[in-house]
Amino acid sequence: MAPKKKAHLLGFMQNGFNSHATGMWRHPRDKVNWDFGHYDYWQHIARVLERGLFDAIFIADQLAPYATYENSSDASVKYAVQFPCNEPSTIAPAIATVTERLGIGVTLSTAFEHPYSMSRRLSTLDYQSKGRIAWNIVSSFSHGEWNAYGVDGRERGDRYERLEEYMEVCYKLWDSWDDGAIIADKASGVYGDPAKIHEVDHQGKYFSTKGRHFVAPSPQRHPVLWQAGSSDRGRDFAAKHAEAVFAVHPTINRMKEYSADLEQRATGRFGRAPGSVKRIFGLQTVVGESRAEAEDKFERIKECIPLEGALAWISGHFGIDFSKYSLDDNVADIEVPGIQGLFESILYAKDGAPVTVREAALIYAQGMGMPVAVGTAADIVDQMEVYLDEGGADGFMLATTFTPGCYEEFVDWVVPELQRRGRYRERYTGTTLREHLREY
């Protein structure tokens, strides 16, 4: 009998007041006696996740308030729609100092930062954390972001061509130090061997750089590369570069299709070994001591969602002003320019049945259209096992509800059930994030 597939687990948050369940700050158990802007809040959550043997905490991001709904960011401000939000990499050192094994994924956009400074920042974080950093590679998508940076961000046909060159420069910099480059001989006074620390001279269509990488090689050489592209071009980019992908699919059929397609692209189109790209699917969980208790908790969570705030979020994510549509319109009839893969999570949220604008907003505001597992620990693991065995999942990105309680409950109740069934590690066997991901 083949061994059971074990799950990778990551905590999914933003360095902000309210993460991915809109209105959750209103919940009576959310951030009680905690301030999201203080390091101790993040350090507590990191300790909880490491106690639960999670691969990593994954910090999502956007660069400016959503401002598509009614052509304004007013609703985002009014309802705390991922507002305010601090820069993600600033909490990585705070998390790294109180943990020993937990990985730290940071979302950083290539849109407004040169690859030289990006590769330097990531190398520094990976060096400081002893090899526990992942980079979620994104290029900015929302009108609010482009406007905030004073750039015309209307659809550019060369978006992925630019991103490919960006990665080319980063790879050149990360790979420019040979083994043995550091001599550090006090007697002679020679620290580094210039012949082994190569100057990168790249003169390309989009980027130019001439200089040496300014950081010694980190334990992973470069951070774990993460991606969430779901469009056709995005899937190609992920299949070529990513070591793990984050995807949101509401049904088993969508998971199966995505898993098979990504594997085919990675192996057939880019010649990578089977299983090279870990598929981490979004999942939201609500656990209780009984199924009835969990269902009641889930109802309390949904009651926190403000409809206008939900509309502001889907407008910002999908690049279209949903205030111009009736709440009863079918979202399948609306063409969106924004994040195609996530929009599909709404289109298929009811397994093919029509989804209205109102339903789409509320479903998305609950947790980005992720499937939700509600019940006892056994109920939740039952559902996770189906996704692992039939959906092609290698693990799960667990979206928050109320924090830090949702993670405390998951670690205390669900992790032991996963371990009891042989579906999860009993201890860390490596020290770097890449080793966690390759453990199984």
Side-chain angles (χ1 to χ4, degrees), residues 66 69-70 72-81 308-309 311-313:
Y66 297 119
Y69 184 74
E70 296 183 336
S72 168
S73 59
D74 284 358
S76 295
V77 172
K78 185 176 182 179
Y79 298 107
V81 181
E308 189 176 20
L311 290 165
W313 192 17

Side-chain angles (χ1 to χ4, degrees), residues 10 13-14 60 72 86 155 157 243 306 330 366 414:
L10 295 94
M13 300 186 70
Q14 262 185 298
S72 168
N86 296 338
E155 286 301 303
E243 296 169 74
N330 186 346
Q366 174 189 303
V414 182

Side-chain angles (χ1 to χ4, degrees), residues 291 373 376-390 414 417-418 420-421 423:
R291 196 170 298 174
T376 65
D379 293 330
I380 289 171
V381 175
D382 285 347
Q383 192 165 331
M384 294 172 78
E385 286 189 306
V386 173
Y387 297 151
L388 288 166
D389 296 338
E390 298 180 27
V414 182
E417 181 65 16
L418 283 166
R420 188 184 68 78
R421 301 191 195 186
R423 292 293 193 167

Side-chain angles (χ1 to χ4, degrees), residues 51-280:
R51 177 164 62 83
L53 304 175
F54 276 47
D55 289 64
I57 183 172
F58 186 99
I59 311 299
D61 193 34
Q62 84 245 12
L63 298 178
Y66 297 119
T68 305
Y69 184 74
E70 296 183 336
N71 198 32
S72 168
S73 59
D74 284 358
S76 295
V77 172
K78 185 176 182 179
Y79 298 107
V81 181
Q82 296 183 324
F83 180 94
C85 186
N86 296 338
E87 201 279 337
S89 66
T90 56
I91 57 174
I95 291 171
T97 57
V98 298
T99 56
E100 295 181 354
R101 296 289 187 269
L102 184 72
I104 308 159
V106 291
T107 299
L108 298 171
S109 173
T110 63
F112 311 110
E113 182 169 359
H114 193 278
Y116 185 87
S117 63
M118 178 71 79
S119 59
R120 183 189 185 203
R121 175 151 50 128
L122 287 163
S123 289
T124 301
L125 291 172
D126 199 54
Y127 189 96
Q128 291 173 333
S129 66
K130 300 179 181 178
R132 292 188 279 147
I133 297 297
W135 175 25
N136 179 35
I137 307 163
V138 299
S139 56
S140 294
F141 62 88
S142 77
H143 298 304
E145 290 176 309
W146 291 101
N147 291 341
Y149 281 82
V151 176
D152 184 353
R154 286 173 292 190
E155 286 301 303
R156 299 190 312 186
D158 63 351
R159 173 186 170 196
Y160 278 101
E161 184 182 357
R162 182 180 185 278
L163 195 54
E164 285 288 351
E165 188 179 333
Y166 198 104
M167 295 307 301
E168 180 185 353
V169 177
C170 287
Y171 290 138
K172 286 180 178 179
L173 290 163
W174 285 325
D175 294 336
S176 63
W177 286 54
D178 294 341
D179 292 340
I182 298 176
I183 299 169
D185 180 48
K186 292 183 179 181
S188 67
V190 174
Y191 174 76
D193 183 350
K196 293 185 177 181
I197 304 174
H198 304 283
E199 184 177 73
V200 172
D201 187 357
H202 178 92
Q203 307 299 321
K205 180 177 179 180
Y206 301 99
F207 302 103
S208 298
T209 187
K210 190 174 190 295
R212 286 186 166 96
H213 189 43
F214 218 10
V215 183
S218 66
Q220 296 187 123
R221 178 65 70 160
H222 64 74
V224 169
L225 300 180
W226 216 283
Q227 232 279 314
S230 291
S231 66
D232 181 68
R233 189 63 188 85
R235 292 187 186 196
D236 267 354
F237 183 84
K240 179 179 179 181
H241 295 281
E243 296 169 74
V245 293
F246 168 43
V248 175
H249 296 292
T251 68
I252 281 288
N253 287 337
R254 300 301 297 171
M255 290 179 186
K256 286 180 180 178
E257 184 278 328
Y258 177 82
S259 296
D261 180 64
L262 191 68
E263 184 73 0
Q264 189 281 324
R265 290 173 192 249
T267 58
R269 194 167 297 180
F270 298 106
R272 300 179 67 180
S276 294
V277 186
K278 297 295 185 183
R279 295 176 290 274
I280 310 298

Side-chain angles (χ1 to χ4, degrees), residues 255-410:
M255 290 179 186
K256 286 180 180 178
E257 184 278 328
Y258 177 82
S259 296
D261 180 64
L262 191 68
E263 184 73 0
Q264 189 281 324
R265 290 173 192 249
T267 58
R269 194 167 297 180
F270 298 106
R272 300 179 67 180
S276 294
V277 186
K278 297 295 185 183
R279 295 176 290 274
I280 310 298
F281 290 149
L283 181 66
Q284 195 172 53
T285 64
V286 182
V287 62
E289 293 189 69
S290 68
R291 196 170 298 174
E293 178 193 329
E295 290 170 350
D296 182 66
K297 287 169 70 173
F298 188 42
E299 289 305 311
R300 301 292 80 76
I301 287 167
K302 290 190 288 185
E303 287 171 0
C304 293
I305 302 172
L307 178 58
E308 189 176 20
L311 290 165
W313 192 17
I314 63 170
S315 296
H317 253 209
F318 301 138
I320 187 170
D321 184 359
F322 280 93
S323 72
K324 297 180 179 179
Y325 295 88
S326 165
L327 293 175
D328 297 320
D329 284 348
N330 186 346
V331 292
D333 298 330
I334 300 172
E335 184 175 346
V336 303
I339 307 175
Q340 298 299 318
L342 288 178
F343 189 65
E344 286 186 5
S345 75
I346 296 301
L347 292 177
Y348 295 95
K350 295 170 64 177
D351 212 10
V355 179
T356 67
V357 169
R358 180 194 299 274
E359 290 172 326
L362 293 175
I363 291 169
Y364 200 77
Q366 174 189 303
M368 293 175 60
M370 298 179 187
V372 185
V374 181
T376 65
D379 293 330
I380 289 171
V381 175
D382 285 347
Q383 192 165 331
M384 294 172 78
E385 286 189 306
V386 173
Y387 297 151
L388 288 166
D389 296 338
E390 298 180 27
D394 293 305
F396 303 97
M397 194 79 72
L398 299 178
T400 60
T401 52
F402 53 87
T403 58
C406 67
Y407 287 139
E408 292 168 337
E409 292 178 349
F410 188 94

